[in-house]
Amino acid sequence: MPEARRGPVNRGTLPMRIPPALNVHRHDTDNRTLVTLAGEIDLNSAPLVHASLERCLHDGIRAIDVDVTAVTFCDCSGLNAFLYALLHTAAAGGSLRLVHPSPALERLVTLTGSGSLFLTLPDALAGSRPPAQLPPLYETTHHLTPALPARLGGVL
């Protein structure tokens, strides 16, 4: 009589790795929101970032702060989701900024030349003059009012 099986047999193969989750929390105040992200942003989780930020615009939010303090990893697909949201937010007359990036995320944004794009335009322009020269990426991708470069140590 054949022996009954009691579940899958591991024959030297590695266990299936479950990707870490990305948690998204949104807190609205009038027409401003704080979106807090925690976890890894990669090819699998970037669509969640994209959908969450698009939902803010759909709901009439025009000032979006994205707290990335607890983001442990972000690759180019995550950066692409942020840039896409930035373009759509700016087109709707709003602003998007990344708050408290890790050194790795700050480096990714700096290396791609997109650091000066992630700031709140109305707040940045209040009582200040724009820089003498904007980065080439800024001039070719946006037709926005010039803004100050990103401040180090907290907000991109």
Side-chain angles (χ1 to χ4, degrees):
M1 190 167 188
E3 186 177 315
R5 287 193 167 183
R6 296 186 183 182
V9 176
N10 187 348
R11 300 202 191 282
T13 60
L14 296 174
M16 185 175 189
R17 182 175 175 255
I18 299 173
L22 176 69
N23 295 311
V24 179
H25 182 325
R26 178 175 152 186
H27 179 73
D28 296 347
T29 307
D30 298 322
N31 69 340
R32 180 173 218 105
T33 192
L34 175 65
V35 176
T36 303
L37 303 176
E40 294 186 1
I41 305 173
D42 57 15
L43 189 59
N44 293 322
S45 59
L48 177 59
V49 173
H50 170 81
S52 299
L53 298 175
E54 280 291 309
R55 185 69 194 174
C56 293
L57 292 176
H58 183 283
D59 292 346
I61 302 294
R62 294 299 176 261
I64 304 170
D65 294 328
V66 184
D67 184 349
V68 290
T69 304
V71 171
T72 56
F73 175 82
C74 182
D75 66 8
C76 60
S77 57
L79 179 61
N80 189 43
F82 291 136
L83 289 169
Y84 185 86
L86 176 73
L87 289 173
H88 280 202
T89 304
S95 62
L96 181 137
R97 67 181 181 162
L98 301 179
V99 182
H100 305 296
S102 68
L105 180 55
E106 192 171 335
R107 184 165 191 257
L108 175 64
V109 171
T110 301
L111 287 173
T112 60
S114 55
S116 64
L117 302 176
F118 292 105
L119 51 93
T120 306
L121 294 175
D123 294 345
L125 293 175
S128 61
R129 295 182 357 200
Q133 185 177 22
L134 294 172
L137 178 65
Y138 187 91
E139 294 171 352
T140 59
T141 59
H142 292 330
H143 299 98
L144 302 174
T145 305
L148 295 174
R151 294 175 289 176
L152 295 177
V155 178
L156 291 180

